[in-house]
Amino acid sequence: MSTFSRLIRHFCTTTASGRRAFPAATLKAIEEGITEGEKHHRAEVRVIVEPALTAQAVLSGTTPRARARELFAQYGVWDTEENCGVLVYINLADHQVEIVADRGIGRVIAAQDWQAVCRTMTQGFARGDYHNSTLAALTQVNALLQEHYPDDGSLRNQLSDQPMML
């Protein structure tokens, strides 16, 4: 895809597009899914939805993966006691989902497991089903984290469970 067509797509994907895909009820359900999941594992999950990148970011070639890593650092997802933060980043204009896991989790959960979670969302998004596909993906994330970082009684919420809409 050319830079020009990507630029147009990002220009046309507005904050209103983000609110239509992720209305308040969906954001609340995501928050509840994170909160419930974190009762059963020690990891910290953060969801960030970004309708589109700035023109400068598109023109400089910023990929969804690079943006996800930037947000992972910016919002301190890496700064958890057990290096167990997970960012689920959704870029609506690029139709991409990226998962960035901290090094502790990266050592125990395989890339193909994260790719399966991303596919759950992108396949649902392609059908226009943002609500159910995101919640299904969160169920997958929580199951993986419960398997590898089960609750040991030391639960302490270190990151907000509320999803962010940029």
Side-chain angles (χ1 to χ4, degrees), residues 150-164:
D151 174 26
D152 64 1
S154 66
L155 291 177
R156 193 177 123 240
N157 200 18
Q158 299 171 65
L159 298 174
S160 173
D161 296 344
Q162 187 174 18
M164 294 181 67

Side-chain angles (χ1 to χ4, degrees), residues 45-62:
V45 178
R46 196 78 211 256
V47 173
I48 298 178
V49 178
E50 188 164 39
L53 299 176
T54 64
Q56 180 180 351
V58 172
L59 291 172
S60 68
T62 301

Side-chain angles (χ1 to χ4, degrees), residues 103-163:
R103 60 191 172 274
I105 293 195
R107 286 187 210 112
V108 296
I109 298 178
Q112 62 263 26
D113 292 329
W114 295 127
Q115 290 163 359
V117 173
C118 291
R119 271 192 308 280
T120 295
M121 286 194 282
T122 56
Q123 289 171 355
F125 294 173
R127 296 186 309 272
D129 185 1
Y130 294 91
H131 183 94
N132 292 322
S133 57
T134 303
L135 295 180
L138 272 177
T139 298
Q140 289 173 284
V141 167
N142 285 325
L144 287 167
L145 295 172
Q146 186 175 354
E147 178 183 344
H148 297 285
Y149 273 83
D151 174 26
D152 64 1
S154 66
L155 291 177
R156 193 177 123 240
N157 200 18
Q158 299 171 65
L159 298 174
S160 173
D161 296 344
Q162 187 174 18

Side-chain angles (χ1 to χ4, degrees), residues 31-106:
E31 180 178 5
E32 290 168 358
I34 293 169
T35 300
E36 182 58 31
E38 288 182 358
K39 291 178 183 176
H40 305 286
H41 58 74
R42 300 184 319 274
E44 291 292 322
V45 178
R46 196 78 211 256
V47 173
I48 298 178
V49 178
E50 188 164 39
L53 299 176
T54 64
Q56 180 180 351
V58 172
L59 291 172
S60 68
T62 301
T63 65
R65 184 72 179 167
R67 180 65 174 151
R69 287 180 182 208
E70 178 184 322
L71 295 171
F72 183 83
Q74 181 178 342
Y75 288 100
V77 181
W78 59 271
D79 192 22
T80 59
E81 282 182 34
E82 293 186 62
N83 300 313
C84 60
V86 175
L87 170 65
V88 178
Y89 170 71
I90 301 164
N91 183 295
L92 294 176
D94 280 326
H95 310 285
Q96 290 277 357
V97 176
E98 294 287 342
I99 296 177
V100 180
D102 206 344
R103 60 191 172 274
I105 293 195

